[in-house]
Amino acid sequence: MTSSDEERPNTPPTSLQAPISPPRSRRSKSHFSHVDELNPGVPTDGSQHHSDINAPTPASIEAGEIQIQDHLSYFSAHLARVVRPQTPGPRLSIPDFVDLYQRNYHPHGRHFVVHQHDHPVAGLHYDLRLQISETSSISFAIMYGLPGNPNSRRLNRNATETRVHCLWNHLIETASSSTGSMLIWDTGEYSILPYHSDQKKQTDNELSTSSSNETHQPSTTSESSKLHRAFKNHKIRLRLHGTHLPADYTLSLRLPPSNNRHSQPKPPVRKRRRGDPGSRYLQRAETPSSSNEKDVIQDDHSSGTTTLNATTPPTTQHERSMEQQSDEQIRLSNAYPGATNSIHSIHQRRWYLSIDRHGSGFTPFVDGDGVRRWVRRRDEDGDGLLGFEPFFVRGRDHERSVVTGRTAEEVMGDEGVEGFEGRKGWRAVLE
């Protein structure tokens, strides 16, 4: 067939069926130059505007079906229209949200975001994205979210490298029936601290440095440059200055030699069923052990069980050829279109992530029964406590966006998504 895009039936675009974030774009893209042309808002009663079939939505922009020039104006305007003013929890105002992004929009920016993503195939997980350049960010998928209890029996997490994303993906809060809901759990700026194999060698001055002082401390080396160096050494001490996370919250990420690879994974195995021409696009995911949190996030969104990630097959031979070329380019570069993998991230390498308890302001204490636990440390003046009270990531029904105050269900409603069936079985780490 040679019919144009305008003559095609009004069905969901192929890319919105793809279980990756952002979904891959296959068809011709529309271009918009100014936010005034976009009409980004949706009513807070959950209804959608349908007056213009070409009006972009956050999901269509994330999918690559619509290309715009000013992502910050679009998404900040959209989020301002769906803010829930009377909701509990920490909040970042829209002006502060905009200022945060603007002051890091340069080659040495240090913006971060933690997205809560409830995907129909992968299930609920959390994506930590760290800016590595003016245009791009490295991404780690964390099944149970960031740890918040220094005395937890399940303190460690797997942090799996996924695709390098465009920096503007840090602004996204959206939903679709094919990719589930995504909300901004926290966002802010990061700092890279010196990595010590023996944490006792750190000085009290370093450990007690407040996030506010550290943010304004002059340095000849940018934080993004420090991140490149730490990433290359496979050992990262990362302090996150967010709104949801407590002050001085510090993580340690380590890539064990046994998990290290120097090249991107080979193309996925594709199986074809007889009598089903579309089944050639079903992808067979790897099946690692699911014990001890050894789940693997496949393209940001699959867990450790075997799944078939189905996409709607292209309609013409030309589209199939373009799809294969695009897939191969993304696989070889481990970066989505528009992003640059300058840090040499390797897809699906599994890092170990944990709270840096010393760096977060805790100290070991042995009580009268001989039980060792971690307690908050006194500051240098002895007048206050460092560290923080334990927090827990409780999942889609409880967590809210730090920008809009919405739950995952409310994001779904605002984007007009109905009948979404999420994956079952996710349980919060509360012990």
Side-chain angles (χ1 to χ4, degrees):
M1 295 177 63
T2 60
S3 60
S4 63
D5 290 342
E6 290 76 6
E7 296 170 336
R8 291 179 182 171
N10 184 21
T11 57
T14 299
S15 63
L16 291 183
Q17 309 295 326
I20 62 175
S21 175
R24 296 164 293 185
S25 174
R26 301 297 176 216
R27 302 189 178 181
S28 60
K29 303 176 179 63
S30 301
H31 298 261
F32 292 83
S33 299
H34 304 289
V35 71
D36 292 342
E37 301 172 356
L38 300 177
N39 189 21
V42 294
T44 55
D45 62 2
S47 62
Q48 288 276 28
H49 294 295
H50 297 285
S51 58
D52 183 357
I53 193 173
N54 293 319
T57 64
S60 65
I61 294 173
E62 184 199 14
E65 290 297 311
I66 301 293
Q67 290 188 349
I68 62 176
Q69 293 182 3
D70 192 345
H71 292 89
L72 179 59
S73 293
Y74 176 87
F75 284 107
S76 60
H78 174 75
L79 295 179
R81 286 172 169 83
V82 295
V83 162
R84 302 299 197 270
Q86 304 298 327
T87 54
R91 294 287 288 275
L92 182 68
S93 69
I94 295 297
D96 288 341
F97 175 74
V98 171
D99 177 70
L100 171 68
Y101 189 85
Q102 287 178 329
R103 69 172 181 258
N104 286 285
Y105 191 62
H106 56 83
H108 301 294
R110 55 192 182 113
H111 197 278
F112 86 85
V113 69
V114 178
H115 272 128
Q116 176 185 282
H117 196 149
D118 186 23
H119 190 272
V121 175
L124 184 64
H125 63 276
Y126 293 79
D127 295 311
L128 170 63
R129 311 197 203 281
L130 306 171
Q131 182 179 2
I132 58 173
S133 68
E134 186 172 12
T135 62
S136 310
S137 63
I138 189 175
S139 182
F140 295 93
I142 306 164
M143 182 64 68
Y144 301 105
L146 298 180
N149 180 10
N151 292 296
S152 174
R153 291 184 296 169
R154 298 176 62 188
L155 188 66
N156 300 324
R157 303 285 190 273
N158 282 325
T160 305
E161 284 179 68
T162 57
R163 305 297 187 197
V164 174
H165 284 62
C166 293
L167 184 63
W168 58 261
N169 281 98
H170 290 207
L171 305 169
I172 289 176
E173 191 165 289
T174 186
S176 74
S177 58
S178 299
T179 59
S181 64
M182 179 180 288
L183 62 78
I184 300 172
W185 189 84
D186 202 4
T187 187
E189 295 172 319
Y190 67 83
S191 298
I192 302 298
L193 306 183
Y195 192 96
H196 301 282
S197 57
D198 183 357
Q199 299 290 0
K200 294 181 180 180
K201 294 181 180 179
Q202 301 170 77
T203 65
D204 289 338
N205 182 59
E206 177 191 355
L207 294 175
S208 61
T209 300
S210 69
S211 59
S212 59
N213 290 337
E214 186 178 60
T215 301
H216 300 290
Q217 182 178 2
S219 175
T220 57
T221 305
S222 68
E223 298 304 319
S224 60
S225 297
K226 294 177 185 177
L227 176 59
H228 277 74
R229 185 168 57 210
F231 184 87
K232 183 178 179 180
N233 293 333
H234 304 156
K235 295 178 180 180
I236 306 172
R237 284 185 73 216
L238 179 71
R239 180 165 287 171
L240 299 177
H241 313 286
T243 298
H244 195 145
L245 292 168
D248 295 333
Y249 182 81
T250 306
L251 293 170
S252 174
L253 291 98
R254 178 177 60 89
L255 179 66
S258 58
N259 291 356
N260 190 20
R261 287 184 288 105
H262 299 285
S263 59
Q264 302 297 344
K266 295 181 180 179
V269 178
R270 300 181 186 274
K271 298 181 68 177
R272 184 173 182 179
R273 297 174 182 169
R274 291 182 179 179
D276 182 7
S279 63
R280 64 179 296 183
Y281 302 98
L282 296 180
Q283 176 178 321
R284 184 178 62 192
E286 293 180 270
T287 315
S289 169
S290 59
S291 62
N292 273 338
E293 295 188 8
K294 291 184 178 179
D295 300 302
V296 172
I297 305 294
Q298 184 85 9
D299 276 337
D300 288 18
H301 307 302
S302 84
S303 60
T305 57
T306 303
T307 57
L308 291 177
N309 298 336
T311 66
T312 302
T315 57
T316 68
Q317 181 62 38
H318 175 69
E319 286 185 338
R320 286 193 290 270
S321 176
M322 293 296 292
E323 174 183 359
Q324 293 169 1
Q325 293 178 24
S326 177
D327 284 346
E328 181 66 6
Q329 181 59 39
I330 292 173
R331 184 187 70 83
L332 291 175
S333 65
N334 194 35
Y336 287 121
T340 302
N341 188 2
S342 61
I343 204 168
H344 194 54
S345 172
I346 302 297
H347 191 50
Q348 290 193 346
R349 282 194 306 193
R350 193 159 56 216
W351 295 59
Y352 292 152
L353 176 149
S354 182
I355 293 180
D356 183 329
R357 292 180 285 199
H358 282 281
S360 296
F362 296 93
T363 188
F365 173 78
V366 179
D367 62 22
D369 297 326
V371 177
R372 186 175 185 266
R373 56 192 177 90
W374 291 82
V375 298
R376 299 176 67 178
R377 189 176 66 254
R378 289 281 178 184
D379 60 19
E380 287 184 311
D381 298 329
D383 298 330
L385 292 175
L386 303 175
F388 48 83
E389 292 299 316
F391 69 87
F392 303 93
V393 178
R394 300 180 182 273
R396 72 180 308 276
D397 294 332
H398 302 276
E399 302 298 325
R400 291 183 176 272
S401 164
V402 76
V403 179
T404 64
R406 298 185 293 176
T407 63
E409 193 66 30
E410 289 170 334
V411 174
M412 286 282 193
D414 287 347
E415 300 301 325
V417 179
E418 299 179 354
F420 175 79
E421 290 292 336
R423 181 170 177 170
K424 309 299 182 183
W426 189 93
R427 295 180 63 185
V429 177
L430 302 178
E431 65 273 17

